[in-house]
Amino acid sequence: MTAATTTAADRPSRRAFLRLRRHEPPALRPPWAAPQAVFSDLCDRCGDCLPACGEGILVRGDGGFPTVDFSRGECTFCGDCAAACPTPALARTDPAAPPWQLTAVIGDGCLTGLGVVCRSCGEACPTAAITFRMEVGRSPQPRLDPAACTGCGACVAPCPAAAVSVQPSPPPTTGDDR
């Protein structure tokens, strides 16, 4: 019998455990945020990044830490939040590096599964990462190109069924994975 291995990311936080919450995914942090494991140690919860966000998508989340709320709009990756941060919690050190590893996910609640023609998410996507393929006898079905998706969240708020979310990207796979 083998023992299951878990990582810190798999275990609930102490706060969630004490509040008897089920495991919740980590909050979405602003672009250029330090890795989740050290973010809470680096962020002093000053809130300087919140008003710096011109799109208004940064809100004070659990524990006073900044989180991204894509129901309020999209991220334009302007970098103003990172520039306003007085700590290394948000640091835009490499301009060529992606701001985060997030990707849109279209859930089962998508109206196209019910035969409703809806292209709200695709029309809102600034990089055209969401396209629609035609199928005989069905409404056009959304298709997401993860390589083109920046995780900006432009597709989240326009979805009338709240079927689109932005989540951490899965790790890249290699040909050796089985």
Side-chain angles (χ1 to χ4, degrees):
M1 183 147 95
T2 60
T5 58
T6 61
T7 64
D10 297 328
R11 294 186 299 265
S13 70
R14 181 173 31 183
R15 173 175 289 180
F17 176 75
L18 294 174
R19 289 186 180 175
L20 301 175
R21 290 184 186 170
R22 296 188 185 267
H23 178 64
E24 295 177 6
L28 297 178
R29 299 294 177 211
W32 299 286
Q36 186 70 29
V38 297
F39 181 82
S40 59
D41 292 334
L42 296 173
C43 178
D44 64 6
R45 297 177 270 191
C46 67
D48 289 353
C49 58
L50 304 179
C53 178
E55 300 301 312
I57 63 169
L58 296 184
V59 297
R60 199 172 291 277
D62 198 22
F65 293 104
T67 61
V68 177
D69 181 359
F70 286 121
S71 70
R72 301 169 62 111
E74 67 185 276
C75 183
T76 60
F77 307 114
C78 65
D80 291 348
C81 59
C85 182
T87 71
L90 302 179
R92 191 175 186 178
T93 56
D94 180 4
W100 50 31
Q101 298 297 317
L102 300 177
T103 305
V105 175
I106 302 170
D108 293 336
C110 180
L111 295 176
T112 61
L114 300 172
V116 176
V117 176
C118 178
R119 296 183 183 196
S120 298
C121 59
E123 291 170 357
C125 182
T127 62
I130 301 174
T131 57
F132 291 83
R133 76 176 170 266
M134 303 299 285
E135 293 184 14
V136 176
R138 294 181 71 189
S139 60
Q141 300 298 301
R143 179 181 304 187
L144 176 75
D145 178 2
C149 181
T150 62
C152 71
C155 54
V156 174
C159 179
V164 182
S165 63
V166 176
Q167 300 174 6
S169 304
T173 58
T174 63
D176 297 341
D177 292 343
R178 296 189 196 276

